[in-house]
Amino acid sequence: MKPEIRSLAGGLAGAIVLNIIHEAAKRFSHKAPRIDKVGEEALTKSLHAVGASAPTGNALFGTTLAADIASNTMYYAMIGKGSKENLLLRGAGYGLFAGLGAVGLTQKLGLSDKPVTKTTETKVMTVAWYLLGGLAAAFVMQKVGEYEDSHGPILSI
């Protein structure tokens, strides 16, 4: 498997882990971050800025979820650049910085930060979940690489 494909596979794994945690937690805790609300606001404002209508209801949620998975996949895929020896450390770094960015940059980007900063616990959960996404991405990249090192390529693309 080409390194780029391995990185994308890991990035997708990290994005899926992140979104599963977000979606599950919001059903169990009112303090859970609502990054989906930030994404919906960003998508709506972006579409309105170019004169397009934004979807509403389930269509808005689905579109935002798809965009979130795609963007987080690409972000986490960057963990795969560099040496194999530092994958988990890079995964932790990328995840940590994404979480800190979600907490610290949302308002600076013109979006409501309340969904990710409403309590201290919300802030900690936001950072922790992005960190877990980065670690999941790096772990998948590492394990695919180890498998290929001992068994040969998974895909010949």
Side-chain angles (χ1 to χ4, degrees):
M1 178 182 299
K2 291 184 179 180
E4 296 84 4
I5 306 262
R6 182 174 43 247
S7 292
L8 284 171
L12 179 60
I16 288 171
V17 165
L18 173 64
N19 278 281
I20 287 172
I21 294 170
H22 275 294
E23 289 302 310
K26 75 180 187 185
R27 287 166 172 70
F28 295 106
S29 173
H30 68 281
K31 293 180 181 179
R34 294 298 307 270
I35 201 71
D36 56 316
K37 296 299 180 194
V38 175
E40 289 174 358
E41 181 186 4
L43 179 65
T44 299
K45 284 185 173 184
S46 296
L47 289 172
H48 287 163
V50 297
S53 298
T56 59
N58 287 338
L60 177 59
F61 174 79
T63 304
T64 302
L65 181 61
D68 189 55
I69 290 172
S71 63
N72 282 309
T73 295
M74 300 313 265
Y75 176 76
Y76 285 139
M78 292 188 296
I79 295 166
K81 297 303 268 177
S83 71
K84 292 179 184 180
E85 291 78 31
N86 297 317
L87 271 173
L88 291 176
L89 182 60
R90 272 197 313 279
Y94 272 76
L96 178 64
F97 284 114
L100 292 172
V103 170
L105 295 176
T106 303
Q107 190 175 35
K108 289 176 174 64
L109 293 170
L111 303 169
S112 172
D113 67 344
K114 186 165 173 64
V116 292
T117 64
K118 59 186 161 196
T119 69
T120 299
E121 289 106 325
T122 307
K123 294 175 191 176
V124 170
M125 284 187 266
T126 300
V127 174
W129 296 342
Y130 278 95
L131 174 63
L132 287 173
L135 288 171
F139 182 78
V140 167
M141 291 173 204
Q142 183 178 48
K143 291 303 170 189
V144 169
E146 288 172 4
Y147 180 87
E148 289 186 330
D149 287 347
S150 63
H151 295 87
I154 294 172
L155 295 174
S156 299
I157 296 177

